[in-house]
Amino acid sequence: MSIVRRGSTLHLRKRVPLRYRRVEPRETVWISLHTDSESVAKSKAPVAWEHLVEGWEARLAGDTGDAERRFEAARELAAARGFRYLPAAQVASLPREDLLERIEAVPLRNGQPDRKEAAALLGGAQEPKITVSRALELYWTLAADRTIGKSEDQMRRWKNPRIKAVNNFLAVVGDKALADISGYDMLDFRNWWIERMASEDLTPNSANKDLIHLGDVLKTVNKMKRLGLVLPLSDLSFKEGEKRSRPPFSVAWIRDKLLAPGALDGLNLEARCILLGMVNTGYRPSEGACLTAAQIRLDHKVPHISIEPVGRQLKSAYARRIIPLAGVSLEAFRQCPDGFPRYADNPALSATVNKYLRENGLMESPGHSLYSLRHSFEDRMQAAGIDDRIRRDLFGHRLTRERYGKGADLDHLLRMIQAVAI
């Protein structure tokens, strides 16, 4: 770019890039830098050019068929011209001096006010209403910070409940604009869940999850898009009944059934090793499935596994931990020292194992599942009188009291696990 003096004032002179020829008829632009000092002009020129480019970009965006993007472009164009976008009614009520400043800032094209500039500066752009289905589309981008570090399977499990909740709402209430959702609409949705819980024997937890996920989508869009709506989302949850917890496998069942010779031979090697590895570690199935060779440390003085956020998010900050290996779990990892690539990001693990256990009479009750091995390990540690701090450290649970020090070392943890290992 070049700085040229016109009279006593310095101007920025620059050719218009080809990208902006569609929205800028001039081939060359002259921008007054409002100074006769060359040093001041050199410092102001890049900023002036940047503001001009921002305006062109906003004008380009205003050509889109997306109503929301056109409105955002109008707001950006107003900002690039040094004004805050205001609806036409508010512009009309501005003090006379402020109103005239906006009018005078609208450039002329072939002797006529530029329509896009006028819409941006005088409030003529119409803000589109965001519907519930559109809110879900926007949500994935607006909540992108929550997905950092998630694996493909974790993304699927994070997205699906929100998609389900929104689809349920659409089926009951319809695709209303967020601004038009009433308290009666939310009561209709709640009543639909009451009928569904009764007819399908569902727990209040299922309904509450839908309400939470729907609320998350709507509140996030309302906040991030600065809609300023008062959404009728409070006082809708159902009182939780007694939770249906998974029962633990008994020690006798594990020894006599699951570990009986040949009992698990029909499972593929990786699924079998994950199951056996769980017996004396209590890791979550997804944590075991994602272990890699680098996290399976069999050549250490105390063989152990390290639960880390490798290629996925952990359930919480407390889930990062090391667990010594003993008994059948140690033997299982010796068979699979390189981890479990088949199930590293595959949601089929639990379904595969649970189906096999059910079909082969290896479930202790209809309420049992693969996850019951985690509860079994915890119960055995509790029955052995192992300190709550150690149990929570091994399980990746939050400690309800202050955490002091680093906790037990590997040798001490190994002695605790060997006392309850099978």
Side-chain angles (χ1 to χ4, degrees):
M1 66 181 72
S2 59
I3 295 175
V4 180
R5 189 178 296 276
R6 275 186 164 181
S8 61
T9 304
L10 292 168
H11 288 68
L12 168 65
R13 180 180 181 276
K14 188 170 174 64
R15 288 181 64 83
V16 176
L18 287 174
R19 170 177 171 78
Y20 306 119
R21 292 290 174 85
R22 182 156 53 92
V23 294
E24 175 52 74
R26 296 172 291 178
E27 290 188 7
T28 303
V29 291
W30 291 77
I31 307 171
S32 174
L33 299 173
H34 304 289
T35 183
D36 60 0
S37 167
E38 292 192 7
S39 61
V40 173
K42 287 179 180 177
S43 66
K44 293 176 71 173
V47 177
W49 179 252
E50 182 180 345
H51 287 168
L52 192 61
V53 169
E54 287 175 357
W56 286 331
E57 286 290 346
R59 287 175 57 77
L60 282 177
D63 286 342
T64 178
D66 183 339
E68 288 168 44
R69 187 66 194 99
R70 285 200 305 273
F71 181 72
E72 286 298 319
R75 295 209 304 189
E76 292 166 5
L77 183 54
R81 299 295 181 250
F83 298 95
R84 183 166 69 90
Y85 180 84
L86 296 173
Q90 292 185 37
V91 172
S93 64
L94 288 172
R96 180 181 176 83
E97 184 179 333
D98 293 341
L99 176 58
L100 287 175
E101 185 182 6
R102 285 177 178 252
I103 293 173
E104 291 170 356
V106 177
L108 298 178
R109 307 291 183 207
N110 300 320
Q112 296 294 321
D114 184 278
R115 296 180 64 180
K116 286 189 173 65
E117 300 266 355
L121 299 181
L122 303 179
Q126 294 297 312
E127 183 170 10
K129 289 186 176 181
I130 297 177
T131 63
V132 175
S133 62
R134 178 59 178 153
L136 182 63
E137 294 174 4
L138 294 170
Y139 175 81
W140 308 127
T141 300
L142 298 175
D145 59 303
R146 306 183 204 177
T147 67
I148 297 172
K150 286 187 184 296
S151 68
E152 184 178 339
D153 183 51
Q154 287 178 317
M155 281 292 293
R156 178 189 61 81
R157 287 186 280 119
W158 179 75
K159 281 187 169 185
N160 283 351
R162 289 159 177 80
I163 295 172
K164 180 177 75 70
V166 168
N167 285 340
N168 285 339
F169 183 83
L170 294 176
V172 176
V173 177
D175 197 12
K176 283 195 166 187
L178 268 59
D180 297 334
I181 297 174
S182 68
Y184 291 116
D185 292 327
M186 296 309 302
L187 288 177
D188 286 344
F189 187 49
R190 192 177 191 276
N191 289 335
W192 176 80
W193 262 111
I194 291 174
E195 295 174 3
R196 189 176 175 194
M197 285 190 291
S199 63
E200 299 181 33
D201 192 28
L202 298 173
T203 66
N205 185 48
S206 299
N208 286 338
K209 283 182 178 179
D210 241 28
L211 291 167
I212 289 170
H213 293 314
L214 174 67
D216 177 36
V217 171
L218 301 186
K219 286 188 285 188
T220 297
V221 172
N222 185 36
K223 176 182 177 181
M224 301 302 290
K225 297 292 285 185
R226 303 176 187 179
L227 303 180
L229 302 175
V230 179
L231 298 169
L233 298 172
S234 58
D235 301 321
L236 294 170
S237 63
F238 295 90
K239 183 178 180 181
E240 292 281 358
E242 183 177 346
K243 288 188 176 181
R244 300 177 183 176
S245 60
R246 297 179 183 86
F249 282 112
S250 65
V251 173
W253 189 271
I254 294 174
R255 283 178 173 158
D256 299 339
K257 297 290 186 176
L258 298 182
L259 300 183
L264 301 177
D265 285 356
L267 271 177
N268 66 78
L269 177 63
E270 289 186 25
R272 183 166 69 249
C273 286
I274 293 172
L275 182 156
L276 294 173
M278 198 172 173
V279 171
N280 296 321
T281 64
Y283 54 54
R284 299 175 180 90
S286 60
E287 292 175 335
C290 289
L291 289 170
T292 66
Q295 298 164 263
I296 301 169
R297 298 162 186 170
L298 300 176
D299 56 353
H300 193 275
K301 183 182 72 170
V302 176
H304 64 277
I305 56 175
S306 177
I307 308 294
E308 302 169 13
V310 177
R312 65 190 298 273
Q313 279 186 346
L314 294 181
K315 187 175 179 66
S316 71
Y318 308 100
R320 186 169 192 148
R321 62 201 189 277
I322 55 175
I323 309 173
L325 296 171
V328 296
S329 296
L330 175 58
E331 293 306 314
F333 277 101
R334 283 176 174 157
Q335 292 183 63
C336 294
D338 296 324
F340 314 99
R342 179 171 181 170
Y343 294 106
D345 195 30
N346 185 341
L349 170 66
S350 291
T352 298
V353 173
N354 288 331
K355 180 182 179 183
Y356 179 84
L357 296 181
R358 281 193 301 271
E359 291 180 349
N360 289 275
L362 297 174
M363 285 296 196
E364 196 165 357
S365 79
H368 280 73
S369 71
L370 172 62
Y371 210 91
S372 297
L373 286 171
R374 179 169 164 84
H375 293 283
S376 174
F377 182 59
E378 185 171 28
D379 280 2
R380 298 199 314 268
M381 288 199 297
Q382 188 170 8
I386 294 175
D387 179 73
D388 181 53
R389 162 70 186 269
I390 291 177
R391 297 203 312 272
R392 288 180 178 273
D393 283 352
L394 287 170
F395 269 75
H397 284 164
R398 178 176 174 271
L399 190 64
T400 52
R401 55 183 169 82
E402 189 75 26
R403 245 188 178 93
Y404 295 105
K406 295 182 178 180
D409 61 24
L410 271 172
D411 287 315
H412 184 62
L413 289 176
L414 179 61
R415 289 195 295 274
M416 298 296 101
I417 289 177
Q418 285 175 329
V420 299
I422 297 174

